[in-house]
Amino acid sequence: MSSFSGAVTLAVDAPVAVTASGTFSLIWLLIGLPLIGAVILLVGGRRTNAFGHWLGVLASAASFVVAAVLFFAMLAQPLDGRTQRQHLFDWISVGTFKVPADLRLDQLSMTFVLLITGVGTLIHLYSVGYMSHDRDRRKFFGYLNLFVASMLLLVLADNYLLLYVGWEGVGLASYLLIGFWYFKETAAVASKKAFIVNRVGDVGLSLAVMLMFVTFGSVTFDGVLARASQASESQLTWIGLALLLAACGKSAQFPLQSWLLDAMAGPTPVSALIHAATMVTAGVYLIVRSNAIFDAAPTAQTAVIVIGAITLLMGAVIGCAKDDIKKALAGSTMSQIGYMVLAAGLGPVGYAFAIFHLVVHGFFKADMFLGAGSVMHGMNDQVNMRRYGALRTVMVATWLTFGAGYLAIMGIPPFAGFFSKDNIIEAAFSRGILVGLVTVVGAGVTAFYMSRLFVMTFHSTKRWTEDVHPHESPMIMVVPIAILALLSAIGGLVLNWNNAIVSWLEPVTGFQEPELAVSKLGMEGISLVVVLAGAALGWMLYDRRPVPEMAPAGNLLTRAARADLYGDAVNEAVFMRPGQYLTRWLVWFDNRVVDGAVNGVAATIGGLSGRARRLQTGFTRSYALSMLGGAALVAIALVLVRL
Amino acid sequence: MNGTLAAAAGSFEIPTLEYSALAPILIVLGAAVVGVLIESFVAQAMRRNAQLVVTFAALVGAFVAVVLARGTQQIVALGSVAIDGPTLFMQGSILVLAAMAALVMAERQVDPAGDSFAPRASALPGSEDEQAFTRLGWLQTEVWPLFLFSVGGMLLFPASTDLLTMFVALEVLSLPLYIMAGLARRRRLLSQEAALKYFMLGAFSSAFFLYGTALLYGFAGTVSLSGIADALTKSADNMGLVLGGLGLLSVGLLFKISAAPFHQWTPDVYQGSPTSVTGFMAACTKVAAFGALLRVMYVAFGGIRWDWRPMMYVIAALTMIVGTIFALTQTDIKRLLAYSSIAQAGFMLVGVIATNQAGLEGTMVYLLAYGVATIGAFAIVTLVRDASGEATHLSQWAGLGKRSPVVASAFALFLLAFAGIPLTSGFTAKFAVFTAGISGGAAPVVVIGVVASAVAAFFYVRVIVVMFFNEPSADSGPSVVVPSAFTTLAITVAVAITVVIGVLPQVIFNLASQAGLFVR
């Protein structure tokens, strides 16, 4: 704990924002370009079918170019001039309640902007090929542009209310894109589920924003974060917990993780962009952005660590048992975001590492999702890994690029994940031995399930169904994957050079060197041994031995993991059933709507006339009786207060 | 002034009336009287046009009078009517909403048989007379004076400073509504049933209101709201009378805003009434009744708010929960919107409970935002029709987004506003009342509200899913009728206001905060 309390003093004061001018007056264009793209594509209708997909790519790419220009402009600024604020207009200004629509570009949001527009553009490009046979391709690109614009608003907002707008915007885009193939039953159900679970998280965010307003009288970052020390610890703890709930919803953390696995029913580029690289990391952004609150609320911080640790292990276990390649990757995403959340819960020791891991995860996970999409493209959209095998022979480029992502996520030096994950493991050990062990065990399990996935797909023996003729994907899909593979390979090394990313982020997040009992090299050695052991086990079990085409019954843990560790069962027991019982009971109590079927569609006109008949039997007296009861309720409530 | 002397001499002093401040109410009620004369003296063929001209001229004129009266802070009409900021804001809202509702009521292009009202309400449903009237193409025009009388009552209701004036206003606004509820051209039995039910329960609630007034008079010796407030500061005796009176009075008011457990008439009446009237009723009555509730609670009982706030906690929580849960199982779009309006009333009660300036502003903004979206939503319900009239079963709305993307998108926008999604008016409004609630010390109710609105989002989105993500039913089913300029204008205005309040809430909040507090 001593290291922790030391961290608080080390946290830097929030840098003062400079009013954006010159090059920085372009900040609004970052959001504006993809937004214009989305509007043209969605409003323009069929007229834009012919060129719609290229317009979508162009909008995203142009936004990336602006981001790159701004990045170099920011590098040219001195440290105290790097936080830029652009005032768009006065959004709400009532009495003391002022919420300007301001954008804030600092090192943290710059990092996100580059990731979102960079990876986003690559995935746009890939989608041109992947969705080429879809009749609604234009609409798909419209939604993608909408997503990019909302996500950029989320990370560029200078206050929590505007952030909330972006937060709902990405939720909406995600909902539309998961349900994009709405004729598939799974897609329609999954999109609804994602929406509902995310609403639970949104409750957290809206409560947090309101609590901030009541506590600080402001919802701007400056108004809240710079004054965090003036609030009491219990107020900050409540705000922190509400923010954590929000993060759990958006980032699929325990106990709101269940939607992410189902969300894989959406098109694969969507899984890569939204449900791996960017949107699901919004929770991590929220926590890191609100660092001043969490630094002063140790209880909330501990809760963050616990949630991160649980999800890290849960996701890894689920990843071990899934035969659906996308769901295995989704389990892995949960697990990796668990790492980031855990790191963010460590305070200044971990914030920068959380973002570092977030960025490289964006590279390698997008790389692998797009690789999985490429495999599906060649295998008639099959996702069952038990019917893959030996694909390295026919899909060489996909195999090599996926391999880079595979080595990166396991953390084999010098691939990207090695640097970022090792940093988190070290920071975790500086917090406590248990937290550290969780991260190391997680790394071992990660190595196991990724090896399983990689072997079952690309090595082992052919288990193809008869009608497939696997082939390499077209260049427009391979090139984006190759770029991401390159980033997965060297991105970590580059970003870690001279602690580049840590010193880049330090003015925003603060930083404290983790205190280690063992030397850094020793730590790296230990985790590498664990990782290699996990990988070796994976290769032994799935490469040496034949993979059965039908999944074996498996042991208790396997079965539980296949059922998403009963996440849905828990949801049903805790939320759905009581809700249904409450509804049914109330409906029975009400005795008017006798057909209590939630989605009953049978009775149309007949039902109406039936209802009309029932209306005419004179229930007015029972309504009047209930009013009388209500009046009694009012009277009792008034008298009770007096007593 | 030698008032006492004059009274002793038994002479009568002519009261002075502040006509300019009362102009909005007088214009509307005067126009209603003109409407009655039109019914008597204008030829059948000309009546509809004459009524429409009078109605819209009255609404516009009254609105202009409200704008001209801005900044007024006085008690007029011998101390029985307060023209202050909140009154003017709510009168303005009522007039805008009433004009939009009137546009929808004036529509005659969507129903092949004419407009949405029974040609002669006196003809027995299914009788030969009824068929004859329909064949002749007669149109219902008496609805317009009724409409204006009701609007006049609504303008007076939130302005009343004593309980008797308030009671008169309550009856003036209610009685025409009872009749209008029974005027539907189609499914007339359902409509008449709704009217009778509304009337009987409305009469029941009026009795509560009146009895409460009597008890409060017994305590304070006056029915004026400020008089009651003064009496409360002076003496703590006879609190039984105060609490009893307050409780009964609240029942009368809570009935009108359809708060649980006084809400049960709402779904039946909303479903049975002609849809254009439902929109009017749902939007304007709620503004007027909330205006009156706010005035009573803030002016007369602001001093003893610790007594009534727990009761309101319970009512607000119950209203939000009941509205939300019942809406989950609805399969009829009008009933669904009815339960949604109950839930919305619960959210607005949070602003009443706050008992602070922010709560007043938030509730007023919420009322306008909700009213606009409600009229827009019900206007769209009138457009989705099959051969037998409006197709209100949810399953008949499947695939609407494919066939009529514009109409379905507008409906989706209103639903998102009800759900409180950012960049719509609903988010702004919810945020305003909930923050007011927290700073007013009502955090537990706000938590229930936030959770309820999260649950409520589910059934709103369910409708959107049905419209956009479900395949249309096999038989060609209902279609969206192209309306005339009337309904189109109403829906367009509703969309515009919903978006503007969401994106640029500044404008409306400025107006609301300029309204200031109630004058005593």
Side-chain angles (χ1 to χ4, degrees), chain A residues 45 68 88 93 114 146 234 271 282 288 305 345 408 442 590 592 600 602 614 622:
Chain A
L88 297 181
S93 169
L114 286 170
L146 178 68
S234 74
S271 311
V288 173
I305 295 178
D590 190 63
R592 273 174 301 150
R614 253 180 279 140
S622 68

Side-chain angles (χ1 to χ4, degrees), chain B residues 28 45 60 71 75 80 82 103 113 142 166 196 235 251 273 308 319 334-335 337 402 412 415-416 452 473 492:
Chain B
V28 170
V60 171
I75 294 195
S80 57
L103 286 172
E142 285 163 358
M166 198 174 266
L196 189 64
S235 129
V251 171
S273 305
W308 56 262
T319 308
K334 281 172 84 176
R335 286 183 84 81
L337 288 174
K402 279 250 171 310
L415 292 174
L416 292 176
S473 50
T492 313

Side-chain angles (χ1 to χ4, degrees), chain B residues 82 87 90-91 94 153-160 287-288 291-292 295 518:
Chain B
T87 297
M90 284 190 254
Q91 286 184 338
I94 290 170
M154 288 169 183
L155 295 180
L156 182 58
F157 200 35
S160 317
V287 179
R295 187 176 291 279
F518 290 114

Side-chain angles (χ1 to χ4, degrees), chain A residues 26-328:
Chain A
L26 295 178
I27 296 174
W28 67 276
L29 267 184
L30 290 170
I31 303 172
L33 290 167
L35 190 66
I36 292 169
V39 169
I40 295 177
L41 291 177
L42 295 177
V43 175
R46 290 191 201 90
R47 272 158 293 177
T48 56
N49 268 357
F51 57 88
H53 43 289
W54 289 116
L55 183 72
V57 175
L58 184 71
S60 178
S63 188
F64 176 67
V65 170
V66 175
V69 169
L70 289 173
F71 173 65
F72 288 112
M74 187 181 272
L75 280 182
Q77 293 285 329
L79 264 189
D80 58 355
R82 288 187 176 175
T83 303
Q84 300 278 339
R85 176 189 295 136
Q86 183 169 37
H87 179 68
L88 297 181
F89 56 92
D90 282 325
W91 189 20
I92 303 174
S93 169
V94 184
T96 57
F97 183 45
K98 289 197 170 46
V99 185
D102 283 0
L103 302 180
R104 181 193 192 95
L105 189 71
D106 58 9
Q107 291 91 333
L108 181 60
S109 42
M110 191 73 242
T111 312
F112 270 88
V113 167
L114 286 170
L115 177 74
I116 295 161
T117 54
V119 175
T121 304
L122 291 175
I123 292 175
H124 272 74
L125 205 58
Y126 174 93
S127 307
V128 172
Y130 191 83
M131 301 295 284
S132 59
H133 301 301
D134 199 288
R135 65 194 166 100
D136 284 330
R137 178 163 68 165
R138 166 191 56 82
K139 211 194 272 177
F140 181 81
F141 278 88
Y143 292 159
L144 274 190
N145 271 202
L146 178 68
F147 168 76
V148 170
S150 310
M151 189 71 203
L152 288 171
L153 179 64
L154 196 163
V155 297
L156 284 170
D158 189 36
N159 61 64
Y160 284 96
L161 205 60
L162 201 59
L163 181 149
Y164 187 59
V165 174
W167 187 271
E168 291 284 345
V170 292
L172 175 71
S174 150
Y175 170 67
L176 291 169
L177 284 165
I178 296 172
F180 188 73
W181 287 324
Y182 58 84
F183 39 84
K184 278 183 12 190
E185 178 69 21
T186 49
V189 172
S191 67
K192 204 154 75 176
K193 184 167 175 183
F195 184 87
I196 294 168
V197 176
N198 269 298
R199 288 302 295 178
V200 178
D202 295 347
V203 167
L205 187 55
S206 47
L207 283 179
V209 175
M210 287 182 223
L211 284 172
M212 283 171 192
F213 175 61
V214 173
T215 311
F216 302 102
S218 169
V219 294
T220 60
F221 289 156
D222 285 347
V224 173
L225 301 175
R227 282 189 282 163
S229 53
Q230 296 166 15
S232 73
E233 190 178 317
S234 74
Q235 282 170 323
L236 292 174
T237 304
W238 282 112
I239 295 176
L241 290 177
L243 288 172
L244 175 61
L245 179 64
C248 285
K250 202 55 94 196
S251 294
Q253 297 294 292
F254 175 81
L256 301 177
Q257 81 287 359
S258 61
W259 65 272
L260 184 63
L261 291 160
D262 293 7
M264 295 300 126
T268 305
V270 173
S271 311
L273 177 61
I274 301 184
H275 304 120
T278 57
M279 184 191 83
V280 285
T281 59
V284 182
Y285 171 77
L286 188 67
I287 295 174
V288 173
R289 175 58 84 189
S290 313
N291 56 58
I293 292 174
F294 284 96
D295 286 345
T299 317
Q301 252 180 344
T302 310
V304 174
I305 295 178
V306 171
I307 295 289
I310 292 176
T311 318
L312 188 172
L313 293 178
M314 265 183 91
V317 171
I318 290 173
C320 292
K322 289 289 177 185
D323 290 333
D324 176 331
I325 185 168
K326 285 180 71 182
K327 293 207 170 173

Side-chain angles (χ1 to χ4, degrees), chain B residues 26-51:
Chain B
L26 296 177
I27 291 173
V28 170
L29 290 177
V33 175
V34 173
V36 174
L37 294 176
I38 291 176
E39 284 301 308
S40 314
F41 297 110
V42 175
Q44 166 85 21
M46 305 276 295
R47 268 184 220 162
R48 182 184 135 90
N49 288 340
Q51 293 287 17

